[in-house]
Amino acid sequence: MMINKQFKALSGYAILGLAALTLTGCANKAVVSYGDAQAVETTDINFGSTDLQKVASQMTDSLLSSPVVGTMTANTRPVVFVERIKNKTSEHIDTESITDSISTQLLRSGKFRFVDMTRVEAVREQLTFQNEDALINPSTAVAFGKQIGAQYMLYGNLSSIVKSNADKADVYYKFTMRLMDMQSGLVEWADETEIRKTREKSTFGW
């Protein structure tokens, strides 16, 4: 009889322990949800998604609203080579994302066409395969020298100035872009946008 009571007591403790572990597991379980991709990012003062969207949108709007570009694209869709944005900041910034965003928005406008220089080697390999491999029907192979060259080059820089002390940190970003006529070397359009972000020490620390 005593053994049965002890067994029941131990069983009760085991159940309570299992319940406690279950509740703890539920309390620590991460909850994943979708957020607004366009929402303002305020995690820190480093260059983030909001800054990327801001500079890409402002530069695209400026380029498309330029009178010179309006004349340039009135009756044709110029072919543009977009060079990857140069990162001149001290941060590790994926400038290819900025380049891709600007290219995509300009292509959606219907005013430009693009050549993708990042895929030149892959294209060259495919053309070589089509023109030299016996398995390919020569009548369907894309001939060498038929690709269209770019008429303009779009390029830019992202730079920053960082100032900080014990109580305050200040970061200034400047993003500059230019559109060059590749035949004449003339810069047909240029613009820049700026971002300043400040972080001040609060009463409770950073």
Side-chain angles (χ1 to χ4, degrees):
M1 205 55 188
M2 181 64 69
I3 294 175
N4 288 336
K5 288 183 178 180
Q6 289 177 345
F7 178 76
K8 289 180 180 180
L10 289 173
S11 299
Y13 290 137
I15 294 172
L16 289 174
L18 181 61
L21 288 173
T22 303
L23 291 174
T24 302
C26 293
N28 294 331
K29 186 177 180 180
V31 178
V32 179
S33 61
Y34 284 100
D36 182 2
Q38 304 297 321
V40 176
E41 180 188 40
T42 56
T43 305
D44 54 41
I45 63 173
N46 294 326
F47 194 90
S49 61
T50 300
D51 305 312
L52 188 156
Q53 294 165 1
K54 179 178 183 293
V55 298
S57 179
Q58 288 185 351
M59 283 300 170
T60 304
D61 292 344
S62 175
L63 180 61
L64 293 176
S65 62
S66 168
V68 174
V69 174
T71 302
M72 181 191 307
T73 59
N75 301 309
T76 185
R77 295 175 64 202
V79 180
V80 179
F81 156 50
V82 182
E83 185 182 50
R84 181 169 178 170
I85 303 301
K86 287 184 171 58
N87 179 15
K88 294 187 175 182
T89 73
S90 58
E91 299 177 44
H92 175 70
I93 299 174
D94 183 11
T95 55
E96 187 175 0
S97 294
I98 306 176
T99 306
D100 289 345
S101 184
I102 292 174
S103 300
T104 300
Q105 292 182 45
L106 290 177
L107 192 60
R108 285 177 178 172
S109 72
K111 295 180 179 293
F112 294 94
R113 292 175 294 170
F114 294 91
V115 290
D116 190 347
M117 296 303 295
T118 64
R119 296 294 178 265
V120 168
E121 190 57 38
V123 171
R124 182 181 289 113
E125 291 178 1
Q126 176 59 210
L127 290 178
T128 300
F129 171 73
Q130 289 188 23
N131 285 273
E132 297 180 2
D133 197 287
L135 295 174
I136 301 297
N137 185 340
S139 65
T140 63
V142 178
F144 283 107
K146 295 297 183 180
Q147 292 193 22
I148 297 176
Q151 301 162 277
Y152 297 91
M153 181 171 71
L154 186 64
Y155 59 100
N157 301 312
L158 176 63
S159 58
S160 68
I161 299 175
V162 181
K163 297 287 183 67
S164 64
N165 55 37
D167 300 317
K168 188 174 181 180
D170 181 274
V171 182
Y172 166 79
Y173 295 100
K174 184 169 76 170
F175 182 57
T176 305
M177 289 206 78
R178 293 181 174 86
L179 181 69
M180 176 190 290
D181 185 320
M182 294 187 65
Q183 182 173 357
S184 66
L186 295 175
V187 175
E188 299 288 356
W189 167 87
D191 202 354
E192 62 183 30
T193 184
E194 301 166 309
I195 296 174
R196 182 178 295 278
K197 303 173 82 173
T198 302
R199 180 183 65 187
E200 296 187 23
K201 189 175 183 179
S202 67
T203 307
F204 303 101
W206 291 104

